[in-house]
Amino acid sequence: MSQSIRPLRPRDPSEHHRVSTTLELFFDLITVIAIAAVTAGLHHGISAGHGLEMLPRFLFLFVGVWWCWMNFTWFASAFDNDDALYRFLVMVIMCGELIFAGGAGYIFETLDMRFGLLGWVIMRLGMAGLWLRAARGNPDWHRTCIRYAIGIVVAQALWILIYVGTAPGSTAFFIAAVLIYVVELGVPAFAESARATPFHRHHIIERYGLLMIISLGEIMLSVSHGFGALFSDHPSLEAALVAVSGLVLVFSIWWVYFCEEEHLTTTAMLPAMIWGYGHVLIYLATAMLGAAIAAWVDVVTHHGAATADEVSRWLGLALALLFATLWLVRDRAHRLPARLNLALPVMAAVFAVGSFLGLPIWAYAILSVVLVNWRAPHLGGDKGAS
């Protein structure tokens, strides 16, 4: 047993061939379950014509899922030693996230956080345990790790207070939740100001890319529902058109997102935090897009109360948010030729205008192909070549 418990030393941030571990991929599997559960709630809300009412709940729960993934991912990039105790604590976190995911539908409907709170407490125990382990074995990062552990515990105590002190779904609940998320997001800045953790830049880029693929999988699930309408008693060619258009959209998003290998160009704290935190809007917009496409399938198969124009607003705004944020966190930091640097903000504005015009989904698909040919016209070589 002594050989299976090793000191939790920092990883080399310049380590060659650093890739995601099977445990990290396993963790992502739990995350995709949680994202799917939260996205399903927004899908049903949009389909029923109550999407705007459901939006605060979606934002509240989605950010919680992302934050769990975010905390673990950056820790693992800096301190993963893959010993038995490390694996056990990560599995504790996974258990908590799965409890939260299992209750996501119930939480979405009622905002009763009983089971969600239980899941979060379990997750925090595992995460705080990891930081305390790192603090014990690394005097150079002791203050940083202790700050993380204290921040996690304090934030969790605040979530318990919000559950005890506010009514589920009340204005006070959402105001308090926003304030606690501000505390949550501030913990890394406070902790890293003692000494920055030695995260591996390329490993982090890969981890974020893998979560993006998971998010795109939510759209693929919606697309499959559209194709599934071909096999019903009353085959719907209109649903198939929605599915084909959705497929073009998801392929285009993949193409544009992964057209730059060096997503994060520096390990400096401020740009790294802008890139790391900003991605929540990319993932959130991608999940919203999946919910909107699923709702569009409901509309054309007469299973939804919303109109096509209403769903179009959700789809167009989700695309606008996704590409505007991608420009902010990635393209703005790259030295791109002007014509390439303009692609994402200009097309984000076009998608936003399209949402208010109520464009059909096939029009968004055509616009996405235009964006691919504008922003990523080359598969290799000099991207700035004319």
Side-chain angles (χ1 to χ4, degrees):
M1 188 66 175
S2 60
Q3 293 181 347
S4 64
I5 305 296
R6 301 186 300 274
L8 198 62
R9 304 298 187 199
R11 298 285 293 259
D12 180 1
S14 59
E15 178 182 342
H16 294 296
H17 308 298
R18 177 75 188 278
V19 296
S20 298
T21 66
T22 54
L23 184 59
E24 287 176 313
L25 298 177
F26 198 7
F27 190 95
D28 289 352
L29 176 62
I30 307 299
T31 302
V32 71
I33 295 171
I35 290 176
V38 174
T39 304
L42 182 63
H43 157 217
H44 296 309
I46 295 173
S47 183
H50 305 302
L52 199 57
E53 180 184 338
M54 295 293 107
L55 182 59
R57 305 179 182 212
F58 170 73
L59 295 175
F60 168 67
L61 293 171
F62 189 93
V63 172
V65 172
W66 164 78
W67 189 239
C68 173
W69 178 89
M70 173 101 163
N71 274 270
F72 166 69
T73 294
W74 286 79
F75 178 90
S77 187
F79 293 107
D80 177 5
N81 71 347
D82 198 34
D83 70 0
L85 184 54
Y86 174 86
R87 291 184 175 191
F88 171 76
L89 289 171
V90 173
M91 290 175 182
V92 168
I93 299 170
M94 291 165 63
C95 175
E97 188 173 15
L98 197 56
I99 291 172
F100 176 77
Y106 175 78
I107 299 169
F108 205 102
E109 291 296 324
T110 66
L111 282 179
D112 183 342
M113 284 289 293
R114 278 179 295 174
F115 300 109
L117 198 62
L118 173 63
W120 279 9
V121 167
I122 293 172
M123 283 189 282
R124 302 305 180 124
L125 289 174
M127 202 68 240
L130 286 173
W131 282 113
L132 289 173
R133 275 201 75 195
R136 182 182 179 185
N138 301 290
D140 291 341
W141 282 275
H142 179 81
R143 288 181 62 196
T144 300
C145 296
I146 289 296
R147 286 184 178 188
Y148 267 113
I150 292 174
I152 288 169
V153 172
V154 168
Q156 185 54 56
L158 292 174
W159 286 117
I160 294 173
L161 286 176
I162 188 179
Y163 173 73
V164 173
T166 63
S170 64
T171 301
F173 173 87
F174 282 115
I175 292 174
V178 170
L179 293 175
I180 297 173
Y181 273 133
V182 170
V183 173
E184 295 268 22
L185 296 175
V187 168
F190 169 66
E192 298 282 334
S193 65
R195 182 175 183 178
T197 50
F199 71 88
H200 192 290
R201 186 171 62 89
H202 287 100
H203 175 251
I204 285 291
I205 292 172
E206 182 194 17
R207 297 295 295 125
Y208 272 68
L210 289 171
L211 188 60
M212 185 60 184
I213 290 174
I214 285 174
S215 300
L216 292 175
E218 295 301 316
I219 306 179
M220 287 295 199
L221 181 61
S222 300
V223 168
S224 72
H225 291 159
F227 285 128
L230 291 172
F231 300 92
S232 64
D233 293 336
H234 303 285
S236 173
L237 294 179
E238 197 172 359
L241 176 60
V242 170
V244 171
S245 300
L247 198 59
V248 172
L249 284 169
V250 73
F251 286 158
S252 299
I253 294 168
W254 170 84
W255 202 307
V256 172
Y257 181 88
F258 289 103
C259 72
E260 296 287 345
E261 292 183 4
E262 296 292 326
H263 253 254
L264 178 61
T265 58
T266 177
T267 58
M269 189 168 103
L270 181 58
M273 291 189 74
I274 292 173
W275 183 84
Y277 281 4
H279 262 75
V280 67
L281 297 179
I282 294 175
Y283 300 139
L284 189 148
T286 306
M288 285 175 59
L289 187 62
I293 292 174
W296 212 315
V297 172
D298 290 343
V299 169
V300 299
T301 56
H302 310 291
H303 291 100
T307 66
D309 283 350
E310 291 172 341
V311 180
S312 177
R313 291 190 186 96
W314 285 93
L315 196 146
L317 290 175
L319 287 167
L321 177 61
L322 193 161
F323 291 121
T325 306
L326 185 57
W327 175 84
L328 177 67
V329 303
R330 187 194 68 186
D331 282 13
R332 186 177 58 90
H334 283 66
R335 294 181 178 178
L336 297 171
R339 64 183 180 83
L340 295 184
N341 193 47
L342 287 172
L344 294 183
V346 169
M347 291 305 295
V350 171
F351 285 123
V353 171
S355 73
F356 290 103
L357 295 176
L359 293 182
I361 190 171
W362 56 262
Y364 290 114
I366 292 172
L367 289 172
S368 73
V369 174
V370 171
L371 175 57
V372 169
N373 282 277
W374 183 354
R375 176 59 184 87
H378 305 287
L379 288 175
D382 182 7
K383 292 184 176 65
S386 59

